[in-house]
Amino acid sequence: MNLYVDALQSLYAVERQTESMAGRIGADTGVTAFKEFLTNAEAGAARRADMLEQVLTKHGESTDSLKTFVTKAAGSVHALIHDMAGHTDLKNLFALAGLHQYLIAAYTSTARLAIVEGDTDTARALATTAATLISDLSIAMTLVEQVTDSVTEAA
């Protein structure tokens, strides 16, 4: 159960970091869909973190064991991707897309751990969450094109 609980705690910490990050990002472009994406990203991270907190509580575990470590790792991923783009909105969008890719992999692998542990209800919820994140990533990649167009038109 230890690896499974560690994975849940790590996901929880990243979701709280995502919630915080999405809430701090402001959209500079006039792309309304990007502003909506940020709002949805913040709300989605909060919902996912709440779900993970309930799962951890069900297993008699707390939420903050790996928070410091994972938060630093998420911040490093954000900073790495942020440095690759020139425009602030593009940087933020690339960072969120990279984070979504990480979350898809993390939720998928944690769903497999849940199956091994016999926690099938949680496995289904985690797999559904991964599928939702895949859909969100598709939206983010479409927004890259829209934000790029907005930035180049303004230049």
Side-chain angles (χ1 to χ4, degrees), residues 22-107:
R24 288 192 312 260
I25 294 173
D28 294 332
T29 66
V31 179
T32 304
F34 181 47
K35 294 174 184 174
E36 291 171 5
F37 182 79
L38 290 173
T39 301
N40 291 339
E42 182 179 12
R47 278 191 309 275
R48 291 187 302 269
D50 290 345
M51 183 255 313
L52 291 164
E53 187 171 2
Q54 290 173 4
V55 172
L56 284 163
T57 300
K58 177 175 89 171
H59 291 291
E61 298 291 337
S62 67
T63 57
D64 55 4
S65 305
L66 298 176
K67 185 173 185 173
T68 303
F69 171 77
V70 175
T71 299
K72 286 181 183 178
S76 297
V77 169
H78 175 96
L80 174 68
I81 295 170
H82 202 274
D83 285 340
M84 298 167 97
H87 189 274
T88 303
D89 280 348
L90 286 175
K91 288 180 181 183
N92 292 332
L93 192 52
F94 289 151
L96 285 169
L99 189 56
H100 271 70
Q101 291 172 344
Y102 166 79
L103 288 170
I104 291 164
Y107 274 98

